[in-house]
Amino acid sequence: MMFPDYRPRRLRRTEALRGLVRETRLHPGHLVYPLFVAPGKGLKAPIDAMPGCHRWSVDTVVDEAKEVADLGVPAVILFGLPEKKDPQGSEAWAKNGVVQKAIRAIKKAVPGLVVITDVCLCEYTSHGHCGVLAKDRVDNDATLELLAKIALSHAQAGADMVAPSDMMDGRVGAIRSRLDDEGFDDVPIMSYAVKYASAFYGPFREAADCAPQFGDRRSYQMDPANAVEALREASLDMEEGADILMVKPAMPYLDIIRLLRQEFTLPVAAYHVSGEYAMIKAAAARGWIDETRVMLESLLSIRRAGADIILTYFAKDAARALA
């Protein structure tokens, strides 16, 4: 039997050869670790739907941030659980809110760690929606000023980057203008530019206590059926001043990550969300899959699709495995 001159298996024979021709690299430096910060002291409360993840108080989150940095993961993103909620979500921009306190504490203890903050109202509003309400409808334009106030409060506390996740029209421009006017023109915006109304967010809503009290978020988050719309959303955010464009979720939307990578020169981030994490954890707990291999293969697929940055609850585990 005659073979062609080129045999692909020649370069797969050993790990050294495979590594030499590997097209896509995954490194801890590509990862961002999400952290949930809650009121109290000495808190490390397990999140049932997300094994291995916890809610932290400000004092304990500092030690967790140190561990993240020691593993070579360069950044964290903070989500806050307030002491009290109201229809406006006013705790979100409080000077001494849990996120603002956590920013100051982490930047003092681990100054080299990049601290990103989620900018949204859903964790803080009594109704659980990402904006203020006009009767039973989320009022887009009335929400913009509040989002800008949140972002400014985070920048004033020392955040290195803000990440609006609300999906209100015009929010990147409103935040950019407010930050610039207040002298924070050097604080970048990582926009949740393409955020789908996904069923993969369930465990996060338990972790952050932010499920809507009525209705759902399909009137402001994107329809999972749409791809071309993703380009419109990303284009608008870029024009308004976004520095990084994010796709959320990640693996069900690898085609969208690739689409943004091909169309834009800005860095592209992808959020490997709670549902993706929880499914791997659940299958591994039953012995159905090899958790470490599936984790790394999943993250590698997101990189291969074109993501420069991956936000993932696996960041610490992946960093250890990659070491």
Side-chain angles (χ1 to χ4, degrees):
M1 182 177 181
M2 297 297 293
F3 284 95
D5 291 337
Y6 176 65
R7 292 181 179 235
R9 285 184 58 186
R10 289 174 182 147
L11 297 179
R12 301 172 190 160
R13 188 164 49 85
T14 68
E15 178 57 29
L17 284 170
R18 291 191 295 272
L20 192 65
V21 297
R22 189 160 289 138
E23 299 172 22
T24 304
R25 304 284 175 174
L26 178 65
H27 186 271
H30 298 129
L31 308 178
V32 176
Y33 189 47
L35 290 169
F36 299 95
V37 189
K41 290 186 177 181
L43 181 68
K44 182 182 177 181
I47 300 167
D48 289 342
M50 299 171 65
C53 294
H54 300 81
R55 297 189 187 98
W56 307 90
S57 52
V58 171
D59 56 329
T60 57
V61 82
V62 169
D63 289 335
E64 182 72 354
K66 289 177 180 176
E67 183 177 344
V68 170
D70 288 343
L71 287 167
V73 175
V76 296
I77 183 167
L78 303 182
F79 298 89
L81 286 81
E83 291 194 30
K84 58 184 178 65
K85 302 188 178 193
D86 59 45
Q88 301 296 309
S90 58
E91 281 288 303
W93 60 86
K95 182 178 180 180
N96 288 313
V98 289
V99 167
Q100 289 80 356
K101 288 180 180 178
I103 296 166
R104 291 191 288 266
I106 293 172
K107 291 306 297 182
K108 181 178 180 181
V110 201
L113 187 67
V114 175
V115 175
I116 307 167
T117 58
D118 179 77
V119 176
C120 195
L121 286 166
C122 62
E123 299 108 300
Y124 300 89
T125 53
S126 51
H127 46 76
H129 278 285
C130 300
V132 292
L133 300 181
K135 296 184 178 178
D136 59 350
R137 178 181 65 86
V138 175
D139 189 328
N140 187 99
D141 293 2
T143 301
L144 299 183
E145 173 61 22
L146 302 186
L147 295 170
K149 288 175 68 173
I150 298 168
L152 178 60
S153 75
H154 293 173
Q156 289 172 331
D160 297 295
M161 185 185 302
V162 295
S165 64
D166 55 284
M167 289 300 285
M168 298 298 114
D169 295 340
R171 88 272 201 211
V172 172
I175 291 169
R176 183 74 274 158
S177 294
R178 187 65 179 273
L179 291 177
D180 291 356
D181 289 346
E182 298 290 340
F184 293 99
D185 54 291
D186 58 346
V187 173
I189 297 173
M190 178 169 64
S191 171
Y192 289 64
V194 183
K195 182 178 180 181
Y196 285 91
S198 173
F200 284 88
Y201 303 149
F204 175 92
R205 291 175 181 172
E206 176 188 319
D209 188 24
C210 64
Q213 297 302 301
F214 66 91
D216 54 41
R217 296 177 177 144
R218 285 182 289 182
S219 68
Y220 45 99
Q221 294 178 357
M222 280 184 56
D223 187 336
N226 293 354
V228 174
E229 185 184 10
L231 296 178
R232 294 198 296 271
E233 285 279 6
S235 295
L236 287 169
D237 285 5
M238 184 178 70
E239 291 166 5
E240 291 175 22
D243 300 281
I244 300 172
L245 302 171
M246 187 199 298
V247 176
K248 181 181 181 183
M251 288 186 64
Y253 300 92
L254 294 178
D255 59 322
I256 307 301
I257 297 170
R258 171 60 66 184
L259 190 61
L260 261 64
R261 179 68 289 149
Q262 292 171 336
E263 295 291 330
F264 299 95
T265 58
L266 291 180
V268 174
Y271 203 138
H272 190 231
V273 300
S274 60
E276 299 172 78
Y277 172 88
M279 288 193 301
I280 293 173
K281 284 286 188 180
R286 287 158 178 77
W288 295 341
I289 60 172
D290 181 318
E291 179 178 328
T292 299
R293 291 186 63 189
V294 172
M295 167 189 70
L296 293 176
E297 186 176 340
S298 300
L299 297 177
L300 188 65
S301 75
I302 300 166
R303 284 278 296 147
R304 191 181 65 244
D308 303 290
I309 301 163
I310 305 173
L311 290 76
T312 177
Y313 303 97
F314 278 121
K316 288 169 57 182
D317 292 342
R320 291 189 186 102
L322 292 167

